[in-house]
Structure formats: structure tokens, C-alpha cells
Amino acid sequence: MIGLVQRVAEARVEVGGQVVGRIGRGLLLLVCAEAGDSDAQAERLVAKLLKLRIFGDEAGRMNRSLQDVGGGLLIVSQFSLAADVSGGNRPSFSRAAPPGEGRRLYEKVVELARSQHPEVATGIFGADMQVHLVNDGPVTIPMRF
């Protein structure tokens, strides 16, 4: 499972011109299930994400987690994180989980996050989404489980 985490001042996702998910200060998680992934990867991703110390403390050091600062979490599916560009100029997405399994694992990530964190917003799996964000720092961290 691949996650791309961005610390944000604010973020929102739109589908068809309508806002479907919005947060203020917090984390934007772009997530992709890969072929062969299971619930175990989803569990490890969420556990690490919620405790990842990437917010500043009183001294300005990255020492506080999303849970410590009470920030929002916006979770957006993005199968293109599994892109392989090593063979040519057209990306291959063969590493991505099939759509049905990708949806199930995305929904598992959302379910786990909602059971452990009070503010979780989402995009819509498989939709053509426009993601707007103000990257804070910028801080962007890739995660793979």
C-alpha cells in the first residue's frame, strides 16, 4: 500500500464542481492499494499516519502528531501512485490493485481512520476529482507498507 502524506494548512476535494471533503490544518493522504495488499497494510498505514510526528512543537521542531494537534485528515484514493515509468513514456498501472479490491482497501483505510480520529473527510473512489491544498512547509512524505 502506498501513501503520500502532505501536511496542509487547508485542503478540499471537489467532484463535478461540488466540495465533497474539506479540512483545515491537518494531513492530506493520497492512498493507493497495490496488487496483493491486505487489511494488514491498511492497518499499519493508518497507525503510522496518526502518530507521525510532522507538526511543529513550541520550539518549531517536528515533534507533534496529527492526534496531538487535533488536525483534520482528508483521504483521497489515487491509483496513479502505483505508476511504473521505467519502461517507456506511458505509465503502467499494473502494480495497482484491481478496482474492486482497491475500493475495499480504500474504504478499510477510511473506516480505520474514522474509528481512531474525530475529523476525517474523503474524496470519492474512482471519481474524477480536483484536489486543492495549501501544503504547509512544504512537508510531503511518501509511505509504503
Side-chain angles (χ1 to χ4, degrees), residues 1-3 30-34 37 76-82 96-97:
M1 184 163 283
I2 303 169
L30 304 174
V31 65
C32 173
E34 294 180 285
D37 283 349
V76 177
S77 63
Q78 187 169 351
F79 80 95
S80 62
L81 288 173

Side-chain angles (χ1 to χ4, degrees), residues 52-121:
L52 194 62
R53 296 185 322 174
I54 60 174
F55 290 90
D57 62 14
E58 296 77 21
R61 297 185 55 155
M62 282 199 257
N63 207 22
R64 300 184 76 202
S65 71
L66 181 67
Q67 291 182 321
D68 293 335
V69 300
L73 175 59
L74 177 57
I75 304 173
V76 177
S77 63
Q78 187 169 351
F79 80 95
S80 62
L81 288 173
D84 178 3
V85 296
S86 63
N89 294 325
R90 184 169 190 253
S92 167
F93 300 107
S94 61
R95 293 184 197 167
E101 186 64 1
R103 177 186 299 272
R104 187 188 76 73
L105 287 168
Y106 168 76
E107 290 173 355
K108 182 68 174 179
V109 167
V110 171
E111 172 192 327
L112 289 164
R114 285 185 168 150
S115 72
Q116 300 172 54
H117 193 71
E119 184 185 352
V120 178

Side-chain angles (χ1 to χ4, degrees), residues 6-13 21-28 72 74 131-136:
Q6 296 182 315
R7 187 179 72 189
V8 297
E10 63 181 306
R12 72 180 188 279
V13 61
R22 174 190 312 265
I23 61 168
R25 179 180 186 218
L27 297 177
L28 167 63
L74 177 57
V131 180
H132 305 262
L133 67 134
V134 177
N135 193 316
D136 179 22

Side-chain angles (χ1 to χ4, degrees), residues 119-132:
E119 184 185 352
V120 178
T122 67
I124 298 175
F125 185 90
D128 180 19
M129 295 177 277
Q130 289 70 51
V131 180
H132 305 262

